[in-house]
Structure formats: C-alpha cells, structure tokens
Amino acid sequence: MSIWIIFKLLGSLALLMFGMKSMSEALQKMAGPQLRHVLGAMTTNRFTGMLTGTLVTASVQSSTATTVMTVSFVNAGLLTLAQAISVIMGANIGTTLTAWIMSAGMSFDITSAVYPAFFMGIILIYQKKYRYIGDFLFGLSFLLLGLGTLRMTGTEMHLGENQALLDFFASFDPNSFLTTLVFLVLGGVLTFCVQSSAAVMAITMILCSSGALPIYQGIALVMGENIGTTVTSNLAAMSANTQARRAALAHMFFNVFGVFWILFVFRPFIDMVCGWVGYDVNMQKETVETSVFLANSAKLSFVLAAFHTTFNVANTFILIWFIPQIEKLVCWVIKPKKVDEEEDFRLHFITAGFMKTPELSVLEAQKEIQAFSDRMQRMFNMVRDLLTLSSSATAKKNSAQVGDFNKLFTRIEKYEGISDNMELEIAKYLDQVGDAHLSDDTKAKIRAMLREISELESIGDANYNIARTIARKYQGKQDHFSEKQYDHIHQMMELTDEALTQMNRLMAGRKDSYDVNRTFNIENEINNYRNQLKSQNINDVNNHEYTYAVGTIYMDIINECEKLGDYVVNVVEARMGTRQKDY
C-alpha cells in the first residue's frame, strides 16, 4: 500500500468530518432560535419529547447540538430531567439519518454531482440573504466528496483481496462471543480517539463493502461507536454542573443498556435486518460469480444504516417506559455538589466542555446572565436588610447587633466581588463565541449581552455603594436618620426593587410577552421621587430638622438608588433592542 493512498484515505476522512461539521453548523445558523423554541414547546410528555429530539437532530445533523440545547433547558427549569432524557432518546434516532446519507454516498458515485453544488454554493455565499444555504451546500458537497473519494480509495486499495488484512480478520473466530466483544471495544476506542462517530462509520462501511470485514464484526464496531460517542460527552460534562452530568450519564446508560440486550439476540437481530435489506448473509465468494458477490456486498452499507436505525428505535421503545426509573438512577449516581450556591461565583450554565456550536452557546450565556441578574436583586435585598439592621441598632449598639451588621456587610462586599468575576467570565466566554462565524442575528445578541453584563455589574457597584454609605453612617458619629428619612429611603428602595423585579421578569421570559412601558414608568416614578426628596432635603436642612452631614448621607443613598434604576433601564433596553425614546 503506497503512502499516497494512505494520505488519500486520511484526506477523504478529513473532508468527510469537515463537511459534516460545516453542514450541521449551517443548518443551526438557519434555524437555531426556532429549534430552541420547538424544543421548549414540544416536550409536553415523553413521546412528544422523543419525537422532538428525533426531528431536531435529523434537521441539524448533530445529536451533540440537541443534547446541549436540552441540558440548557433543564438548567433553566424549562424542562425536567425526565423530559430531557426523552429528547436525548429521540436524538439517538435522529442521528441515524447520517448513516443513511453515508450509505447512499458509498453505494453510488456522486462525486460528479458535487461540483455543480460547489458552484451554486459559492454564488449563494456571496449573496448575503442566502449565504447560510450556500454554507450548507458547501458542507454537504464536502461530505459527499469525502465519501466518494473514500469509496474510490477503498476500491483502489483492493481491501477484499488484501491477504494480510483478510488473514487478520480471519484470525478472529466469527462464531465466538469474545470476537464480538473485541470489535465492540475496538469501535468504542476508535470513536473516542478520532472524536467522530461518522468517520468510524465510514471506515466500517468501506471494510464491509469491500468484503474484507464480515458483517457481524462490522456491526459490533457500530455498536462500539455508540458507546464511544457517549464517553466523549461524559468527559466533556465532568467540569459541568450537576444536571449536565446527569443528562450525559443518562445518554451513556441508554446506549450501554442497548448494547447489553442486543448481545443476547445478536445474530438473529442482524439476520432480521439483513433480510429486510435483501442481503444474503451466507453467500460465499467462492460459490458464486464475482459480479453477484459484489452486488450482494454493495448492500452492506445499507445493512449498517438499517441496523443503526433499527437498534436505536428498538432501544428507545424499550426504555421510554422506564424514564422515571432512569431519572432516579442518574440522580442517585450523581449527587449535587454540597456548596452554598449563593456564595459560589462559579458559572453554572456556561461550560467549556459543552461549547460545541457558537449559535447554541448564546443560549448558555443568556441563562448565565439571567442568573447574574437574579443575584443582583438578592444583593439589593441584602442592602435593604442592612439598612433595617442599622436603624434598629442605632439607638443601642450591643456586640451581637454590631456582629450581625458586620457579617451582612461582609457578605455584600463578597457579592460585589462575585459580580466583577461574573462580568469578566461571561464576557470572556462571549468573546470566544464571537470568534466563530455567526449569523447577523447572533452577533447582535452577543453585542446586547455584553452591554447587559456591563450594566448588571454597575448594579452590583451601586448596591455596594449604598451599603458603604449605610456602614459609614452606622460606624460614624453623626446623628441617626429621622423616622421620616427612613420611611423615604424604604419607599425609594421599594420602587427600586420593583424595577429589579420587572427586569428579572424580562430576563426569565420572552421579549414579545414583556411590557417595557412598565419599566419606563417605574423609572419615571424613581426620578420624580428623587427630585421631590432633593428639594425637601434642602428645606429640612435649612429648617434645622437634621444636620447637613446627615442630609448628605441621606441623599447619597437616594441618588444611588436612582442610579441603580438607570442601570436597570439600560439592561432592559439592551435585552429589548430598543431605547426609552422609541416609546
């Protein structure tokens, strides 16, 4: 075997993998947001969830992308883990479409048809409106060109006549259960090493179609590929949150269980599939004409595709009735980490291991920003508690009250550090996503999200400034606030908290169902109240109701609340993609 043929083989595999990746990403760019909405709306029960997983995965040609979206919805509370498991089952069925595309590419010479597709693709790419269709055509063409080249290379290599290769496979007893296990492990290891189940499937089809590899061993390789691809996702999920690891484990359990039961009916099941396709399992090369034998061998790629589909459909039919039990099992195996989530600034939704597709990574970032927003409102409520502590402890400061005050202030200080870290980490993640080729819609979303996190961090700063002002007043020698001042501050904080509540309602829901005027009205109320208190403060100081120093600290708190309200409006405008003057 010449070095040129080896490079041709490796190059055609690289073309195949690149084409699959490009085609999948183009499809997701065309329909990413719509697919997310479909996943959220169509998973009302285990059967619709399974159907949704099948259709979405068949559409985007990536079970990984479907799994990532599903895990995101579980994290956000839009799907239960049980619903997610049903979607992942469907994704296993949907991904078998890839095998059918490859079997068609292996059975027919389609390389001549890809060149017109390349020509059409480049024209569409330069037309902004249709460039994603052009990207899809390019990806599909590379995939088919890789398959065609692989097929021709396999023919050139004369694998069916390579005595060394034939002797190697003949050294394994075809009737031995151990042989099946060896090829099963080999398939899993190969898939894990090349990180592409499509590449292993293509190699298997070439070996089987050439007559070098018996069908039973070839199918054992395909079964191993099913396990190998779940090992990859489980390793990627190791650094992820609890729900992501549970979903990945459920995926592995699904495939491992399927391989386990199929081993008990291995030969009869394969013979049944071969019968459907019309492949004669018992045909020997020596007993028939070469043309007849080759015609029979040409059906092997379809046998592999049919087995892949039948196996996953049968496995889903068995396990779909036991989803609650699978959920309990993965929850029992993977316990939640015992950390105080409020005090932990680790990102919960963004995970480097799961950042597979830029278009879908935006959803992860949105959920993280939602968590950031919730955290900032919790921080503001701590500031309100700090004010209450300072007012109740002003008359008489004992050691317990001072300790409680200092403890809460330290916690607010920690939250301010958390907000800085969250802004930097999310921005870093969005920069990584932004380096990829993105749709205009996704680029606009990333710009909006960068503005959102900047404004949310400013809310954290405003919270900390109010807390520092309260602490300065509490620890200083100035007179305490009057009851009327405390009432005014509490009323201003109530308005500010309502603004934060409206903001979080928008962050957790959909833009089209949010009344943005509510936020603008609250902001106007805050501004008007601040102006009213500012005028009243000047009069009160002039009338010697309290000192100028107390009035300054009092207005510092009021002004900082008003600034916080401005930051809330900025977040809402960034999310809605509009400005207050537009309304």
Side-chain angles (χ1 to χ4, degrees), residues 40-51:
M42 284 185 61
T43 50
T44 51
N45 60 57
R46 67 185 75 180
F47 298 104
T48 56
M50 182 267 292
L51 183 62

Side-chain angles (χ1 to χ4, degrees), residues 385-386 388-409 474-475:
D385 292 339
L386 192 74
T388 304
L389 272 176
S390 72
S391 63
S392 64
T394 301
K396 182 182 178 182
K397 295 182 184 177
N398 58 46
S399 58
Q401 288 172 326
V402 172
D404 289 343
F405 184 92
N406 291 336
K407 186 177 178 182
L408 185 55
F409 180 76
Y474 178 69
Q475 293 160 357

Side-chain angles (χ1 to χ4, degrees), residues 27-294:
L27 283 164
Q28 290 170 57
K29 285 176 186 176
M30 283 191 279
Q34 288 77 10
L35 290 175
R36 293 200 287 272
H37 297 325
V38 166
L39 261 183
M42 284 185 61
T43 50
T44 51
N45 60 57
R46 67 185 75 180
F47 298 104
T48 56
M50 182 267 292
L51 183 62
T52 303
T54 303
L55 294 175
V56 169
T57 306
S59 300
V60 300
Q61 283 296 290
S62 172
S63 58
T64 301
T66 308
T67 305
V68 170
M69 281 192 287
T70 306
V71 169
S72 302
F73 279 118
V74 174
N75 287 338
L78 300 176
L79 286 181
T80 64
L81 182 59
Q83 289 171 320
I85 292 170
S86 68
V87 173
I88 290 169
M89 286 181 177
N92 272 278
I93 297 174
T95 197
T96 61
L97 179 64
T98 306
W100 287 103
I101 294 172
M102 293 173 68
S103 64
M106 289 290 181
S107 303
F108 309 105
D109 183 13
I110 35 75
T111 49
S112 56
V114 303
Y115 299 107
F118 274 129
F119 179 69
M120 286 297 298
I122 199 68
I123 293 173
L124 293 171
I125 284 171
Y126 281 102
Q127 293 184 12
K128 192 173 181 181
K129 188 176 178 182
Y130 301 107
R131 69 180 181 276
Y132 302 132
I133 300 174
D135 286 341
F136 168 75
L137 280 176
F138 253 67
L140 182 61
S141 300
F142 276 125
L143 168 66
L144 295 176
L145 183 62
L147 282 170
T149 311
L150 199 62
R151 175 175 170 269
M152 288 186 288
T153 307
T155 305
E156 288 175 21
M157 290 167 72
H158 303 291
L159 295 173
E161 299 167 15
N162 188 315
Q163 199 57 45
L165 191 66
L166 290 171
D167 289 343
F168 171 75
F169 289 127
S171 65
F172 295 95
D173 182 2
N175 299 313
S176 170
F177 181 70
L178 183 62
T179 299
T180 304
L181 289 180
V182 168
F183 278 86
L184 187 99
V185 172
L186 184 62
V189 171
L190 276 174
T191 305
F192 177 71
C193 290
V194 301
Q195 295 284 294
S196 171
S197 56
V200 177
M201 177 67 84
I203 293 168
T204 309
M205 285 182 174
I206 283 288
L207 289 169
C208 288
S209 298
S210 64
L213 181 65
I215 185 61
Y216 297 111
Q217 282 93 310
I219 283 178
L221 279 176
V222 172
M223 287 162 55
E225 165 224 310
N226 268 295
I227 295 176
T229 194
T230 65
V231 172
T232 305
S233 63
N234 272 271
L235 288 175
M238 283 177 70
S239 61
N241 55 44
T242 303
Q243 292 292 62
R245 288 183 293 127
R246 285 172 176 169
L249 181 62
H251 189 197
M252 175 177 269
F253 173 80
F254 175 83
N255 284 12
V256 170
F257 178 84
V259 169
F260 178 77
W261 70 258
I262 205 76
L263 287 173
F264 288 97
V265 290
F266 190 61
R267 296 250 167 178
F269 193 89
I270 294 172
D271 292 344
M272 177 186 72
V273 173
C274 290
W276 291 346
V277 177
Y279 172 75
D280 186 352
V281 184
N282 300 312
M283 185 180 290
Q284 298 292 324
K285 190 174 184 179
E286 297 79 16
T287 59
V288 294
E289 293 180 14
T290 305
S291 58
V292 175
F293 179 78
L294 291 175

Side-chain angles (χ1 to χ4, degrees), residues 12 48 102 129 201 209 273 311 333 414-415 432 485 498 500:
S12 56
T48 56
M102 293 173 68
K129 188 176 178 182
M201 177 67 84
S209 298
V273 173
F311 164 70
V333 173
K414 186 175 181 181
Y415 260 64
Q432 290 174 356
Q485 283 177 308
E498 178 59 25
L500 287 164

Side-chain angles (χ1 to χ4, degrees), residues 445-471:
K445 282 180 184 174
I446 288 176
R447 285 194 298 269
M449 284 191 281
L450 287 169
R451 185 184 170 199
E452 286 168 25
I453 59 174
S454 174
E455 298 297 338
L456 285 169
E457 194 276 331
S458 295
I459 291 175
D461 289 342
N463 281 329
Y464 183 51
N465 289 339
I466 297 170
R468 283 197 305 174
T469 304
I470 293 170

Side-chain angles (χ1 to χ4, degrees), residues 434-450:
D435 287 340
H437 297 292
L438 303 168
S439 64
D440 291 339
D441 182 46
T442 304
K443 286 177 184 174
K445 282 180 184 174
I446 288 176
R447 285 194 298 269
M449 284 191 281
L450 287 169

